[in-house]
Amino acid sequence: MESCSSEGGTVVMSAVTKRFGSFAALKGIGLSVDRGEKIVICGPSGSGKSTLIRCINRIEKHDGGSIVVEGCLLDHRLTNIDKVRREVGMVFQSFNLFPHMTVLENCMLAPMLVRGLKAAEAEDVAISYLRRVRIADQAAKYPSQLSGGQQQRVAIARAMCMKPKIMLLDEPTSALDPEMVKEVLNTMIELAGDGMTMICVTHEMGFARQVADRVIFMDEGAIVEEGAPEQFFRQPKTQRARDFLSQVLH
Amino acid sequence: MTMDWLSGYGLQLIFGAVTMLSVALVALVVGTVLGISLGTAKIYGAKPLRYSAEAYTAVVRGVPDLIVIYLIYFGGTVALTKITGQYVDINGFAAGVAALAFIFAAYAGDIFRGAIGQVPRGQTEAAHALGLSPRAAFFRIILPQAWRLALPGFGNLAIILIKQTSLISVIGLEELLRASSVISGATRQPFLVYSVAAILYLIITSIVSWGFRNAGIRSNRGFA
């Protein structure tokens, strides 16, 4: 507790490194995110994008450097990890809804167990967010009864029910059938309108253009280039970014 | 003859069956808790814990069940006698339950280990990302999903456990088999008596299999 302060950015990473065996996934990442900022991270596969955002709520443990989230230093101290995870929501590529619980139960669980809400309060919160992602009518169903796009919207609602200050989205549309990408992107655009801090790994460049304050391009475990979306898409500074963009923008 | 069956022997068999069921039930509960602990230790435990769990399984699985029962019964008697300083005859029920629970756990541990390992990693990650404690993640997210995967193997073990209760007749507990042997001695109709006992076992194991089939269907709710 005493190691958390309210100074500086929402997320401040400095010289963060991470190895998987002999493979260096992150090679000294420095990144500072302001409150309410929308950041899109892109780059070729294996460039460390997912690893980077997974370090922010410590789903992945970094090896070197420091990560401060909402004023809390992430290290071996478990109390800080709990505190950070309470303020940081996450949406995964493969949804990761709990298959043995209904949509409603998926959304109620963490607010009850972590925030200590009563069942009735948690249900109100859950229904209000399910309504916002336009899926409240499916609240009694199990995840397997929904389409991919619907499942991902539930996953977004589930994360929102914890009222996080920061939202991490790890390729939220990559596992979806093409016709479902739009409904999820629209939900994310609405989310962005709320003023929440968002860090999103995605190849949806239309989304980046429309929503991002800053685009970060990664390659081989490092941030190669960053800037405002207009500038990044019109005039990428590095050859690597140009190569990448020529492949994703068709 | 008919009167004897109704009044005395029949009742004795029923009592035997009740004892058998009590032993099986308590051993099932204790064995399940122990089995889940073993499975969890093998997956999440630090090295010493993991190796101890592996050693436990290897020993209990490698020794005949009857010897495990004798060792616990006589070993328990010796130990309690040493501790209290006077001869203690260990309770047959307790020794039987303990032995069967230890055996059950050795097999159940590996079933749970396999089942826990089959729950996708993303489930643990989602639970952690939502801020759930490791404990809550395990009991609310992982175990309920592992349970569904473990159920078929677990049901089999439970049926075997019911039949294994017959082994503890050797330490003098009057369960169904022991009762049958006493009655067949008295009536000199071993074939009839053991047939009746066999039918009682069959009825009980059938009910239990049916129960596990239903539990299996229930646990598949939400899984396409």
Side-chain angles (χ1 to χ4, degrees):
Chain A
M1 286 291 204
E2 61 274 21
S3 54
C4 296
S5 73
S6 54
E7 285 158 41
T10 300
V11 177
V12 181
M13 304 176 91
S14 40
V16 172
T17 58
K18 166 77 186 169
R19 309 186 68 84
F20 293 108
S22 62
F23 175 71
L26 297 179
K27 301 173 184 164
I29 298 290
L31 174 65
S32 180
V33 182
D34 292 332
R35 197 168 302 281
E37 202 178 3
K38 322 285 177 249
I39 292 200
V40 162
I41 304 178
C42 59
S45 73
S47 59
K49 316 171 295 266
S50 290
T51 308
L52 187 153
I53 71 166
R54 286 159 62 87
C55 284
I56 295 174
N57 62 348
R58 212 175 230 227
I59 297 301
E60 216 75 73
K61 212 193 282 179
H62 61 285
D63 301 324
S66 72
I67 303 178
V68 179
V69 182
E70 287 293 319
C72 296
L73 178 67
L74 277 179
D75 53 17
H76 57 279
R77 270 169 294 196
L78 275 163
T79 50
N80 277 1
I81 293 174
D82 288 346
K83 204 156 180 283
V84 165
R85 284 179 178 163
R86 233 173 287 163
E87 307 305 334
V88 179
M90 191 169 212
V91 174
F92 299 87
Q93 180 177 354
S94 49
F95 328 138
N96 294 346
L97 292 175
F98 304 133
H100 59 301
M101 297 180 180
T102 64
V103 165
L104 186 64
E105 287 165 348
N106 262 278
C107 294
M108 289 169 62
L109 183 74
M112 288 172 70
L113 290 184
V114 182
R115 294 252 190 255
L117 261 56
K118 299 221 163 50
E121 301 169 320
E123 188 170 335
D124 287 346
V125 173
I127 292 290
S128 78
Y129 282 109
L130 287 171
R131 227 173 248 148
R132 289 203 47 194
V133 301
R134 281 181 287 282
I135 205 151
D137 52 327
Q138 317 274 6
K141 288 194 178 168
Y142 285 93
S144 63
Q145 298 169 290
L146 305 181
S147 73
Q150 290 174 319
Q151 289 191 49
Q152 193 61 299
R153 284 188 283 144
V154 171
I156 292 172
R158 178 177 73 175
M160 292 297 293
C161 286
M162 282 295 286
K163 307 202 160 134
K165 296 200 172 96
I166 303 167
M167 190 70 123
L168 307 174
L169 301 108
D170 188 3
E171 303 206 33
T173 57
S174 301
L176 295 174
D177 290 332
E179 73 270 24
M180 291 167 185
V181 170
K182 203 162 176 358
E183 64 182 72
V184 172
L185 285 179
N186 285 339
T187 307
M188 287 159 57
I189 290 166
E190 263 181 57
L191 195 73
D194 285 358
M196 173 171 301
T197 309
M198 273 172 84
I199 304 175
C200 182
V201 173
T202 185
H203 291 154
E204 292 294 334
M205 294 303 142
F207 172 78
R209 253 186 247 262
Q210 190 176 346
V211 167
D213 298 309
R214 191 161 30 132
V215 176
I216 288 178
F217 173 70
M218 288 183 71
D219 194 17
E220 296 183 342
I223 294 177
V224 175
E225 186 170 338
E226 58 182 299
E230 328 70 89
Q231 177 226 318
F232 176 75
F233 289 117
R234 201 173 311 133
Q235 284 185 311
K237 285 174 266 181
T238 58
Q239 184 59 43
R240 278 193 280 181
R242 275 194 287 276
D243 291 345
F244 173 74
L245 284 174
S246 72
Q247 275 162 9
V248 280
L249 302 171
H250 11 248
Chain B
M1 183 67 216
T2 336
M3 281 311 292
D4 284 353
W5 269 100
L6 284 176
S7 60
Y9 299 136
L11 216 56
Q12 200 174 351
L13 273 184
I14 300 287
F15 278 137
V18 169
T19 305
M20 175 260 271
L21 276 176
S22 322
V23 171
L25 193 68
V26 182
L28 182 73
V29 171
V30 177
T32 301
V33 172
L34 197 58
I36 291 176
S37 311
L38 277 171
T40 312
K42 286 181 183 185
I43 286 198
Y44 300 111
K47 258 186 193 159
L49 197 62
R50 217 158 63 218
Y51 290 154
S52 316
E54 295 289 358
Y56 175 93
T57 308
V59 169
V60 176
R61 262 211 303 226
V63 174
D65 298 345
L66 263 178
I67 297 187
V68 173
I69 293 168
Y70 278 131
L71 286 177
I72 285 174
Y73 183 62
F74 294 117
T77 306
V78 171
L80 281 181
T81 304
K82 275 250 166 67
I83 292 166
T84 56
Q86 52 195 0
Y87 181 77
V88 183
D89 200 7
I90 198 170
N91 181 308
F93 186 86
V97 163
L100 292 181
F102 289 157
I103 295 165
F104 184 86
Y107 294 92
D110 277 2
I111 288 179
F112 282 114
R113 186 242 303 260
I116 291 169
Q118 273 184 64
V119 177
R121 259 190 78 78
Q123 292 291 309
T124 312
E125 291 179 357
H128 287 165
L130 283 166
L132 264 57
S133 64
R135 196 190 163 81
F138 181 74
F139 284 108
R140 305 297 291 266
I141 306 302
I142 305 307
L143 198 54
Q145 294 183 59
W147 175 244
R148 167 183 159 264
L149 299 167
L151 207 51
F154 184 81
N156 258 337
L157 277 189
I159 302 287
I160 293 171
L161 172 66
I162 289 172
K163 297 195 293 175
Q164 275 175 329
T165 56
S166 60
L167 294 178
I168 61 172
S169 58
V170 298
I171 55 177
L173 190 68
E174 191 162 323
E175 44 61 72
L176 186 48
L177 182 65
R178 175 86 177 174
S180 311
S181 119
V182 171
I183 297 166
S184 78
T187 59
R188 306 190 177 201
Q189 289 184 304
F191 184 76
L192 175 66
V193 176
Y194 285 123
S195 299
V196 172
I199 290 167
L200 282 177
Y201 275 112
L202 190 60
I203 290 171
I204 290 163
T205 50
S206 302
I207 293 171
V208 172
S209 327
W210 176 79
F212 272 103
R213 236 188 344 268
N214 279 319
I217 293 166
R218 252 180 66 88
S219 75
N220 277 322
R221 260 184 334 186
F223 290 86

